[in-house]
Amino acid sequence: MSAKAVILRLLGDLALKQAVVTSIEYFGSHFVWIQVQGTREQAAAYQPGDKIQVLLPMDEVRTYTPIGWDADGQTSLLVYVRGGSPASQWAEQVRIGDPLRFLGPERSLPLPEGPLSMIGDETSIAVAAAYQLARPESVACAFESDVDLSAVTKKLGLRPAMVLPREVGLGHCVDLAQWARERHHASGARVGLTGGPTLLKTLRGKLREAQVPVKTRAYWAPGKTGLD
């Protein structure tokens, strides 16, 4: 049990908001798409790129990017399943009708109006989908991944420019940086860069050298849990 989870358990309804799981869809063994019904008040506070911090049943807290939040209070979460982590266990065991208790929505990756290039990994698909939903035809995305993303990106309406396998020497970052430079020069597209620390550090440096505006947010790091 994390310290944050202990505090949230103690505060209970004083701090936490609540929604209910209404739909669950699985994409292979790697992704679970969970739709939930919240309230109109929650929807009114939401902006693309926001986060919520979910109190899981096993008393752990994990952060997710809501994909849209309509006026009736419905939103969805995409959980990347990897190993036996608490988040993966929850995603594999969650059922329709289960409560979802959370903090937020809160600002996490606000990006300026205009064309966007979203770059990241498996954990970045939800934030790319959130911006694509809010700005149709203005968002393009590219990911590094060693798993098949085609089913989940199609379901969420994303059209990835490319999905590149991870390379030990990070040579694929050269291709990602070139793609972002070309989009910036053609349309002025800014970059939203999310995912793990190695990708962020390497690619952020290359983009800044090329004078491409970039905003980053680390979604995970080795040895750390509950990163928000």
Side-chain angles (χ1 to χ4, degrees):
M1 182 187 297
S2 69
K4 183 182 289 186
V6 171
I7 294 171
L8 291 182
R9 280 289 184 198
L10 291 173
L11 292 175
D13 294 338
L14 293 175
L16 293 169
K17 299 172 183 176
Q18 186 156 311
V20 176
V21 175
T22 58
S23 176
I24 304 165
E25 190 167 352
Y26 301 90
F27 297 97
S29 58
H30 295 292
F31 296 96
V32 182
W33 186 45
I34 302 171
Q35 290 186 288
V36 300
Q37 181 66 53
T39 68
R40 294 186 177 186
E41 290 76 15
Q42 294 161 7
Y46 166 81
Q47 293 181 22
D50 281 0
K51 66 181 180 182
I52 62 172
Q53 298 179 69
V54 177
L55 178 62
L56 303 181
M58 61 286 295
D59 288 330
E60 294 288 345
V61 179
R62 292 296 183 269
T63 302
Y64 296 99
T65 300
I67 303 173
W69 213 317
D70 68 24
D72 291 327
Q74 186 175 83
T75 186
S76 59
L77 309 176
L78 183 69
V79 182
Y80 175 49
V81 177
R82 45 182 172 184
S85 69
S88 297
Q89 293 175 30
W90 169 64
E92 292 167 343
Q93 297 169 6
V94 68
R95 296 292 182 267
I96 292 173
D98 284 355
L100 185 85
R101 305 180 76 193
F102 63 94
L103 294 175
E106 303 172 89
R107 303 294 171 259
S108 178
L109 189 73
L111 294 171
E113 294 295 328
L116 296 175
S117 298
M118 304 298 294
I119 303 177
D121 60 17
E122 301 89 352
T123 66
S124 307
I125 295 173
V127 72
Y131 274 106
Q132 169 65 23
L133 186 63
R135 308 181 190 181
E137 310 303 325
S138 297
V139 178
C141 53
F143 303 109
E144 64 162 20
S145 180
D146 294 323
V147 302
D148 185 2
L149 304 182
S150 58
V152 68
T153 54
K154 181 179 180 180
K155 178 66 177 183
L156 297 178
L158 292 174
R159 299 174 181 83
M162 54 184 168
V163 179
L164 301 177
R166 292 182 177 87
E167 297 179 16
V168 174
L170 297 176
H172 62 292
C173 287
V174 175
D175 294 329
L176 290 170
Q178 177 63 28
W179 172 77
R181 283 197 298 268
E182 290 175 356
R183 287 207 78 235
H184 178 65
H185 292 154
S187 65
R190 296 170 178 263
V191 174
L193 174 60
T194 59
T198 303
L199 175 67
L200 266 61
K201 181 178 179 181
T202 303
L203 198 51
R204 178 173 54 203
K206 293 183 180 299
L207 292 174
R208 287 179 174 172
E209 287 175 7
Q211 298 184 328
V212 177
V214 57
K215 189 162 188 176
T216 65
R217 170 68 69 175
Y219 283 166
W220 62 272
K224 295 185 178 181
T225 60
L227 191 65
D228 61 17

